[in-house]
């Protein structure tokens, strides 16, 4: 919900560090089940932010978690987005 919206707004405003903090906080709360599409997208965004910050291991871990979520629910757009991230 609200933390995710704030994180997206932070990304749009060029505040990647703030967005990362918000996403980490939100995922730590486990308010969204890992089987839910939005959890996959949140992890995808966090993976992209980690990659941009040069945190390769963290980016790979989040991308793997997002892949697992998207595969489980058949979310092809999410899987395509992750392939796009991997190609950067």
């Amino acid at each position: 919900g609200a933390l995710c919206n704030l994180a997206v707004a932070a990304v749009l405003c060029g505040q990647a560090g703030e967005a990362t903090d918000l996403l980490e906080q939100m995922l730590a709360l486990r308010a969204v089940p890992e089987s839910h599409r939005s959890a996959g997208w949140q992890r995808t965004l966090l993976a992209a932010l980690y990659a941009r910050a040069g945190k390769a291991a963290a980016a790979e871990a989040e991308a793997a978690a997002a892949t697992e979520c998207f595969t489980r629910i058949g979310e092809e757009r999410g899987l395509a987005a992750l392939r796009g991230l991997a190609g950067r």
Side-chain angles (χ1 to χ4, degrees):
L3 288 175
C4 186
N5 291 341
L6 288 171
V8 170
V11 168
L12 294 173
C13 292
Q15 299 172 340
E18 178 69 18
T20 299
D21 291 345
L22 288 164
L23 287 166
E24 289 172 341
Q25 181 181 17
M26 180 184 55
L27 289 168
L29 293 172
R30 299 205 180 271
V32 176
E34 288 296 321
S35 61
H36 196 275
R37 173 179 288 119
S38 65
W41 284 106
Q42 292 159 5
R43 291 192 177 281
T44 300
L45 179 55
L46 189 55
L49 290 166
Y50 281 149
R52 191 182 301 173
K55 298 178 179 179
E60 290 173 16
E62 291 301 331
T67 298
E68 183 179 322
C69 175
F70 290 148
T71 300
R72 189 174 333 123
I73 63 172
E75 174 58 49
E76 293 299 322
R77 288 178 295 179
L79 292 169
L82 287 164
R83 285 191 295 274
L85 285 177
R88 287 187 179 182

